[in-house]
């Protein structure tokens, strides 16, 4: 007597992908927190390459310019790419948020244009190449305006803790108009 194989449909959120070795990853785990980004770069790397990556982060980078330079300079080495475009805060359109480039056998380069971070995730890529990329990205550093004040508030919404930035406008205050003579 032969046993029949019974196949039951698997809901999409339970589909798993098996990569190198015994690494198994749920496909939905590559998606990021709604307050952060469309994709989680760490889970995306593990899903694509099947290993835990090394990480190098450069901050305060003009990622729009750096991403365009990278796309042109490494066009022949880029095996795949992804991006996300999100609504602007003023709701007058949308802007590029994250760029993901897959290169070689184990390199993922993530440009977070809104936060100004470039993340290099890799496992065996030569450190000379990584250091060369870091040096190149430093050419796209944004200069911080030290006189511009920043204010953030910590909030708890439906998906967890987050911070929101408030724009502070410098206003001219006439003390004589607002206070008595004895101030």
């Amino acid at each position: 007597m032969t046993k029949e194989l019974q196949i039951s449909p698997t809901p999409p959120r339970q589909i798993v992908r098996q990569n190198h070795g015994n690494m198994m990853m749920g496909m939905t785990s590559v998606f990021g927190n709604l307050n952060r980004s469309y994709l989680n770069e760490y889970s995306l790397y593990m899903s694509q390459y099947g290993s835990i990556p090394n990480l190098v982060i450069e901050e305060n980078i003009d990622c729009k310019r750096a991403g365009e330079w990278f796309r042109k300079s490494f066009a022949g080495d880029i095996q795949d790419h992804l991006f996300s475009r999100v609504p602007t805060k003023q709701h007058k359109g949308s802007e590029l948020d994250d760029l993901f480039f897959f290169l070689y056998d184990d390199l993922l380069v993530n440009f977070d244009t809104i936060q100004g971070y470039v993340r290099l995730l890799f496992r065996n890529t030569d450190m000379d190449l990584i250091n060369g990329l870091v040096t190149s990205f430093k050419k796209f550093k944004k200069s911080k305006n030290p006189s511009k004040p920043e204010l953030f508030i910590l909030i708890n919404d439906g998906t967890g803790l987050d911070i929101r930035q408030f724009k502070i406008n410098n206003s001219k205050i006439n003390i004589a108009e607002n206070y008595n003579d004895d101030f």
Side-chain angles (χ1 to χ4, degrees):
M1 182 166 128
T2 334
K3 288 187 177 180
E4 289 186 15
L5 179 63
Q6 292 182 347
I7 301 174
S8 61
T10 304
R13 65 179 164 265
Q14 294 178 359
I15 293 175
V16 292
R17 176 178 175 185
Q18 185 169 1
N19 270 343
H20 311 81
N22 293 327
M23 175 75 69
M24 293 181 77
M25 178 134 232
M27 290 304 289
T28 57
S29 66
V30 300
F31 296 100
N33 180 326
L34 293 177
N35 289 331
R36 187 174 170 269
S37 177
Y38 162 61
L39 295 171
N40 178 307
E41 60 277 4
Y42 310 107
S43 297
L44 182 61
Y45 182 94
M46 290 175 58
S47 172
Q48 180 71 19
Y49 296 115
S51 63
I52 297 172
N54 297 308
L55 174 66
V56 175
I57 299 176
E58 281 299 310
E59 61 183 358
N60 202 25
I61 303 292
D62 182 347
C63 289
K64 291 177 184 173
R65 288 183 36 236
E68 186 62 27
W69 167 83
F70 185 82
R71 187 183 59 77
K72 289 176 182 175
S73 299
F74 290 89
D77 297 318
I78 296 171
Q79 297 170 350
D80 200 2
H81 69 280
L82 300 167
F83 70 91
S84 64
R85 186 175 290 275
V86 297
T88 60
K89 290 180 182 176
Q90 295 81 17
H91 303 292
K92 295 179 182 176
S94 62
E95 65 182 335
L96 203 56
D97 180 14
D98 277 306
L99 298 166
F100 299 92
F101 294 100
F102 298 92
L103 293 87
Y104 312 121
D105 292 329
D106 71 340
L107 177 61
L108 171 61
V109 180
N110 168 227
F111 294 91
D112 185 339
T113 61
I114 293 175
Q115 298 296 324
Y117 289 109
V118 176
R119 297 176 187 92
L120 300 150
L121 294 88
F122 61 98
R123 186 73 183 164
N124 297 314
T125 300
D126 185 39
M127 279 307 295
D128 290 337
L129 174 64
I130 299 298
N131 291 333
L133 287 171
V134 168
T135 301
S136 296
F137 294 143
K138 286 182 180 180
K139 295 175 185 172
F140 296 97
K141 279 260 189 200
K142 291 190 258 184
S143 60
K144 276 209 160 196
N145 185 355
S147 64
K148 185 176 179 182
E150 293 180 323
L151 177 66
F152 294 87
I153 186 168
L154 181 64
I155 62 165
N156 184 12
D157 62 10
T159 59
L161 293 176
D162 194 13
I163 59 171
R164 298 254 169 96
Q165 182 177 13
F166 287 100
K167 185 175 182 181
I168 301 174
N169 296 321
N170 289 335
S171 56
K172 294 184 180 186
I173 298 174
N174 186 342
I175 300 220
E177 284 183 12
N178 295 305
Y179 296 96
N180 294 333
D181 295 337
D182 60 348
F183 178 70

